[in-house]
Amino acid sequence: ESRTQFMPVISSEERPRLGQRFTLAGFPTNRNEELTTHDCTFKGYGTIDKYSNERTYLLYCPAAESTVSGMSGGPLLDQNGRVW
C-alpha cells in the first residue's frame, strides 16, 4: 500500500511578517549539487515578479553567501514546516 504525505501549505491570504524565520531549500547553481538548506529572515518585499505579478520576498540568509543564486527545486518553509 502506497501512502502519499503532503506538506502543509499556507493560505493564499497569509503574508510573511518582518523578522519571520524561514528555511530555504534547493539545489544551488549546479545540477550535481546536493540539496542545501539555509536559515533566513524575512526583511520585506522586493520588486513585482513579471510572471506571477506578485511582490518578491527579500530574505536575509547570512550563511548562504553566494549559494542562494539558483536555489531551485526546493521549498521555502516557515518555522512550522509549512510551504510558502
Side-chain angles (χ1 to χ4, degrees):
E1 177 179 323
S2 174
R3 290 187 185 194
T4 302
Q5 291 187 352
F6 295 98
M7 298 176 77
V9 178
I10 65 158
S11 72
S12 60
E13 294 84 32
E14 193 166 355
R15 299 290 176 252
R17 299 175 315 278
L18 285 176
Q20 185 173 352
R21 306 283 300 170
F22 289 95
T23 299
L24 176 66
F27 297 89
T29 311
N30 186 335
R31 291 184 290 160
N32 298 324
E33 297 278 340
E34 292 185 13
L35 179 68
T36 303
T37 62
H38 295 291
D39 293 326
C40 305
T41 304
F42 177 71
K43 293 294 186 181
Y45 293 97
T47 58
I48 295 177
D49 180 80
K50 64 182 179 181
Y51 299 107
S52 69
N53 204 32
E54 293 185 9
R55 289 226 173 255
T56 57
Y57 294 167
L58 297 176
L59 298 173
Y60 175 63
C61 309
E65 296 184 18
S66 64
T67 61
V68 174
S69 176
M71 285 290 283
S72 59
L76 179 66
L77 305 170
D78 67 11
Q79 296 143 302
N80 298 318
R82 298 179 308 157
V83 177
W84 281 68

